[in-house]
Amino acid sequence: MDFDKVLILDFGSQYTQLIARRIRELSVYSEIFPYNAPIEKIKDFNPKGIILSGGPASVYEENAPVISKDIFELKVPVLGICYGIQLISFLFNGDVEKSAKHEYGFAILKIKNRDLLFKNLPESFQVWMSHGDKIIKLPENFEVIAFTENSPFAAIRNIEKKIWGVQFHPEVVHTNYGREILKNFCFEVCKCEPNWNIGSFLNDTVKQIKKIVGNERVICGLSGGVDSSVVAVLIHKAIGEQLTCIFVNNGVLRKNEAEKVKKIFRENFKINLIYVDAENIFLEKLKGVTDPEKKRKIIGNTFIEVFEKEAKKLGNVRFLAQGTLYPDVIESVSFKGPSATIKSHHNVGGLPEKMNLKLIEPLRELFKDEVRKLGKELGMPDEIIFRQPFPGPGLAIRIIGEVNKERLNILREADDIILSEIKAAGLYREIWQSFGVLLPVKTVGVMGDERTYENVIAIRAVNSVDGMTADWVKLPYELLGKISNRIINEIRGVNRVVYDISSKPPATIEWE
């Protein structure tokens, strides 16, 4: 792929992914490597600029993450952010120490020396600080280009060595002109061309898939979610009939989900689709199970069994396609180390090793918003592209307690009402996730002149950027009232509706 690139070295900041996304939004390709990536790997990547991320460590601590000074000999511009600026100072013999006054939150940055980094920006503006250490003495041949009340060295540079550093976070929305600072770094300092976009990614990826697959066959586990759907359409564009998708109905899908998936992929995209109705197999194994983790394991393991059985019927298949995204890749290789658990719906268990399959993960360099753009480029319907995240274990973890057909039917109908009313109110695409939960309690109610003792449905609606944190959505009272009335009046077995107003943390998005 022939385009200009910016490399981000990760020191464990919660904002590292955000830096990569901001750079890509400028049509410049960026990737994240762990801070200790070998210098040869960095040379092979051939970046036009390098950004050192923030991080929770202190440079003067024992075992603090440190990079080789060889990076500064590559003759490409380097920008240090937060921990990055302190590390630069430390490596070039400046002094960094614990600050008596932590600087966290908003500060006013004042530009002292005009610089390419601040080209066309005002003399002072608001920035977002998040640090407990500070530079107390600049290294030799470095100069201050901006300061705040508490940070005399809020932005520094060494023009000869092409090194810049900022104590604040330009990648977060709280910093005014943060996008412009990163833009200036890419275009004014690094002289990048804005030559990376989803269209070029699509063309390059289609060529790569053709080259890798050749005349072999590929299978893809299709769930109907954004990631697996885009993977299926992308690979089908590259190799057509050589792709077979397997869609397993695990019995815990939303209302009419199976029919929609079959229709879209068979009729719209003409993709070879094997449909497996395994509802009875899954529900039999879930009988009497109430522990959330056991439910997840049963559904994950049973999916592998069913998928493997169907795949073997196809005969000689060499490749398995998966919808792994860039955040999953970063999680497993970043400074913070391998993640403790990998989301089951991004990953088909041990199948590749078990069936001697090679993995194809064409989305592994993309963020979620880029996957949606790719879906648009492929001509996919908004119904799929902008679908809210749906968990791999489906409705099973939205039914607290045992999962059976009767309880599934109640939740399916309630969930369908919640989504249809949120869509009718024009709010669906503004919300990260919205759904219903069937609670394991019954409450007293009155319907007509009779006393009832029926189920409770909880409504959950949250906003989030990446699912790591989330805030509950302030749905209009009129909408909540309409949803509640419809659920209670239209679904036999429900007499009460409640609204979940907890954020993550301390709660999670899902109830189980």
Side-chain angles (χ1 to χ4, degrees):
M1 294 187 189
D2 189 24
F3 36 74
D4 291 344
K5 296 174 280 193
V6 169
L7 176 64
I8 296 142
L9 293 179
D10 179 27
F11 291 89
S13 167
Q14 58 182 321
Y15 303 129
T16 302
Q17 286 189 35
L18 207 46
I19 304 170
R21 291 181 65 163
R22 293 285 177 261
I23 302 296
R24 290 193 190 185
E25 284 165 9
L26 300 168
S27 298
V28 175
Y29 185 71
S30 66
E31 271 194 34
I32 298 168
F33 286 8
Y35 76 92
N36 55 359
I39 193 74
E40 290 308 317
K41 187 181 176 187
I42 292 171
K43 284 180 183 173
D44 288 346
F45 185 70
N46 193 26
K48 289 204 77 170
I50 295 172
I51 296 177
L52 312 180
S53 85
S58 293
V59 291
Y60 47 76
E61 286 174 356
E62 199 179 342
N63 301 321
V66 176
I67 53 172
S68 163
K69 280 183 81 170
D70 292 346
I71 283 168
F72 301 101
E73 302 304 319
L74 297 177
K75 307 299 182 201
V76 299
V78 175
L79 171 65
I81 295 175
C82 198
Y83 180 83
I85 188 177
Q86 293 165 10
L87 182 61
I88 287 166
S89 299
F90 176 76
L91 290 172
F92 286 92
N93 301 315
D95 288 339
V96 180
E97 66 175 30
K98 201 170 195 67
S99 174
K101 192 172 181 182
H102 286 216
E103 198 170 22
Y104 181 83
F106 295 116
I108 299 299
L109 185 80
K110 294 180 180 176
I111 295 173
K112 183 176 180 181
N113 288 319
R114 269 292 155 196
D115 183 84
L116 287 176
L117 209 58
F118 301 128
K119 187 177 176 181
N120 297 328
L121 300 189
E123 293 296 321
S124 65
F125 53 90
Q126 179 178 279
V127 296
W128 179 260
M129 292 284 192
S130 177
H131 63 100
D133 297 338
K134 70 174 183 179
I135 300 165
I136 56 168
K137 182 184 149 219
L138 268 191
E140 198 177 334
N141 299 322
F142 279 77
E143 62 180 320
V144 177
I145 52 175
F147 62 94
T148 69
E149 189 180 345
N150 290 318
S151 289
F153 309 113
I156 62 173
R157 73 180 176 192
N158 181 322
I159 291 177
E160 188 194 340
K161 290 190 177 291
K162 298 184 181 175
I163 300 172
W164 282 259
V166 293
Q167 186 60 75
F168 56 92
H169 288 275
E171 70 274 25
V172 301
V173 292
H174 310 305
T175 293
N176 293 348
Y177 305 104
R179 185 179 186 274
E180 286 75 8
I181 291 168
L182 293 174
K183 186 178 179 181
N184 284 337
F185 179 70
C186 289
F187 301 134
E188 301 295 334
V189 175
C190 302
K191 306 298 181 191
C192 291
E193 290 291 327
N195 53 9
W196 186 81
N197 58 54
I198 285 296
S200 60
F201 174 87
L202 172 56
N203 295 333
D204 286 337
T205 305
V206 164
K207 284 178 199 164
Q208 278 186 333
I209 293 167
K210 283 178 178 174
K211 188 178 174 184
I212 291 165
V213 173
N215 296 319
E216 301 290 345
R217 294 167 71 197
V218 179
I219 53 170
C220 174
L222 190 61
S223 69
V226 181
D227 307 337
S228 69
S229 298
V230 172
V231 163
V233 176
L234 174 61
I235 292 179
H236 183 255
K237 183 178 175 69
I239 60 169
E241 294 290 305
Q242 291 165 251
L243 171 71
T244 301
C245 290
I246 299 174
F247 176 54
V248 177
N249 182 350
N250 55 17
V252 288
L253 301 174
R254 282 175 154 160
K255 188 177 179 181
N256 300 326
E257 184 85 10
E259 289 69 27
K260 283 179 194 168
V261 171
K262 283 191 283 183
K263 189 174 190 299
I264 287 169
F265 289 92
R266 280 180 180 161
E267 294 178 23
N268 289 26
F269 294 108
K270 312 295 182 199
I271 290 176
N272 293 331
L273 178 67
I274 294 171
Y275 171 69
V276 188
D277 186 354
E279 180 181 20
N280 291 337
I281 296 170
F282 280 84
L283 292 188
E284 185 60 37
K285 292 197 175 189
L286 286 168
K287 197 180 280 183
V289 178
T290 57
D291 180 78
E293 276 312 299
K294 281 187 183 169
K295 288 185 197 175
R296 287 175 182 273
K297 281 178 182 160
I298 287 168
I299 290 167
N301 293 337
T302 307
F303 174 81
I304 290 173
E305 287 168 22
V306 173
F307 188 91
E308 184 185 15
K309 189 177 172 186
E310 288 302 320
K312 280 184 173 170
K313 292 178 189 174
L314 294 171
N316 186 28
V317 176
R318 284 284 307 282
F319 295 94
L320 171 71
Q322 284 192 173
T324 309
L325 301 193
Y326 197 39
D328 305 315
V329 177
I330 297 166
E331 244 176 47
S332 60
V333 299
S334 76
F335 163 67
K336 288 161 277 194
S339 63
T341 54
I342 295 171
K343 297 170 195 164
S344 56
H345 60 284
H346 273 143
N347 174 314
V348 186
L351 274 177
E353 297 82 5
K354 202 172 179 185
M355 297 176 64
N356 199 24
L357 294 169
K358 288 185 178 177
L359 269 182
I360 293 185
E361 298 172 309
L363 308 183
R364 64 180 280 118
E365 293 171 353
L366 299 184
F367 290 103
K368 192 78 166 191
D369 55 330
E370 293 168 332
V371 173
R372 295 190 202 279
K373 286 177 189 169
L374 181 60
K376 268 283 193 206
E377 195 84 17
L378 287 162
M380 296 175 67
D382 286 359
E383 184 185 357
I384 290 179
I385 296 171
F386 294 105
R387 177 182 148 138
Q388 294 175 356
F390 186 65
L395 300 180
I397 56 166
R398 293 177 179 174
I399 291 174
I400 314 300
E402 186 183 4
V403 179
N404 57 41
K405 272 195 173 180
E406 182 193 353
R407 303 190 81 206
L408 276 164
N409 288 337
I410 289 172
L411 181 57
R412 262 194 202 106
E413 294 301 325
D415 192 68
D416 187 58
I417 289 170
I418 292 165
L419 289 185
S420 62
E421 288 300 338
I422 283 174
K423 284 175 183 174
L427 296 174
Y428 182 77
R429 277 170 63 174
E430 292 178 25
I431 296 171
W432 172 267
Q433 258 176 296
S434 47
F435 54 90
V437 181
L438 181 60
L439 304 190
V441 293
K442 292 196 171 186
T443 69
V444 173
V446 178
M447 287 187 175
D449 293 325
E450 293 184 7
R451 178 183 180 278
T452 60
Y453 192 57
E454 302 287 10
N455 293 287
V456 180
I457 292 285
I459 302 169
R460 181 79 161 134
V462 297
N463 271 334
S464 177
V465 174
D466 53 13
M468 301 301 288
T469 61
D471 205 3
W472 63 280
V473 176
K474 283 72 178 170
L475 288 178
Y477 290 152
E478 296 77 10
L479 177 58
L480 285 170
K482 195 172 184 185
I483 293 171
S484 175
N485 285 340
R486 280 197 61 193
I487 289 173
I488 290 167
N489 289 324
E490 295 175 28
I491 303 172
R492 189 175 178 84
V494 179
N495 69 0
R496 193 177 297 269
V497 174
V498 297
Y499 190 44
D500 181 349
I501 59 166
S502 38
S503 295
K504 176 185 179 180
T508 52
I509 294 176
E510 298 292 344
W511 279 46
E512 287 196 338

